[in-house]
Amino acid sequence: MDRFFRGFAAGVLAGIPMNIWDLFSYHYLHFSDLRYLDWSAVTIFGHLPHSMGELVFALFSHFLWVGFMGTIFAYLIELKITSRLYWLKGIIFGYVAGFLIYAAGIALKMPHIMTRSLDSVITQFIGASIWGFTMAYLLHLMDNTSLAKKV
């Protein structure tokens, strides 16, 4: 597996605990009022998901997005940023990516995203940190196994 796909796989797999936390906070803690899949839906459809099909497609698209972000991180690490303290760099990358995505949503005046409650923002930044840590850890594991194909 080359660097692109290791980063993509690490990003997608890290999206699982990220979304578990997000859905737990939304459905059980009632702490957040916006899910990651809602971000995807608003970006794709211009509105929150209205049907199960839109919800599933938005969630699928979110997993593709976090996979893409994992690929970006994989190439940044390879650019001699070093993989020392990879987990901390992953957390920072996840947090900064979340910050930039929030900024883009506000700058583009996206409905349902422009104004968020503190609880939702905290939930999603915790999720971004979970994703960054998990993605960096999985990428580190993949880089140090036979999955790593040196090209």
Side-chain angles (χ1 to χ4, degrees):
M1 189 182 300
D2 67 12
R3 187 139 207 79
F4 180 95
F5 288 109
R6 287 194 312 274
F8 189 82
V12 169
L13 291 171
I16 295 169
M18 171 194 209
N19 277 283
I20 288 171
W21 158 251
D22 184 55
L23 294 171
F24 180 76
S25 177
Y26 181 87
H27 290 288
Y28 295 102
L29 299 178
H30 305 289
F31 195 59
S32 177
D33 59 5
L34 187 75
R35 303 164 293 188
Y36 290 118
L37 65 91
D38 293 330
W39 278 83
S40 294
V42 170
T43 303
I44 296 165
F45 306 118
H47 57 76
L48 297 173
H50 294 313
S51 68
M52 184 58 76
E54 288 180 354
L55 188 140
V56 169
F57 190 80
L59 184 60
F60 174 77
S61 297
H62 181 258
F63 276 107
L64 290 177
W65 173 254
V66 294
F68 173 72
M69 295 300 292
T71 298
I72 291 173
F73 182 80
Y75 281 110
L76 285 174
I77 288 295
E78 190 176 51
L79 290 175
K80 305 303 178 218
I81 292 176
T82 77
S83 57
R84 200 166 77 94
L85 296 176
Y86 60 90
W87 60 271
L88 181 58
K89 291 173 185 172
I91 291 171
I92 292 168
F93 182 80
Y95 195 89
V96 169
F99 183 85
L100 294 174
I101 291 166
Y102 260 96
I106 292 168
L108 296 172
K109 298 181 173 110
M110 294 174 71
H112 308 288
I113 291 175
M114 287 182 43
T115 56
R116 297 286 18 108
S117 69
L118 176 61
D119 298 344
S120 290
V121 172
I122 289 171
T123 292
Q124 295 194 335
F125 276 93
I126 289 171
S129 297
I130 290 168
W131 174 82
F133 173 83
T134 308
M135 180 271 310
Y137 178 76
L138 291 171
L139 180 63
H140 182 71
L141 286 178
M142 286 187 231
D143 281 348
N144 293 312
T145 67
S146 60
L147 291 175
K149 177 183 173 187
K150 304 296 180 192
V151 181

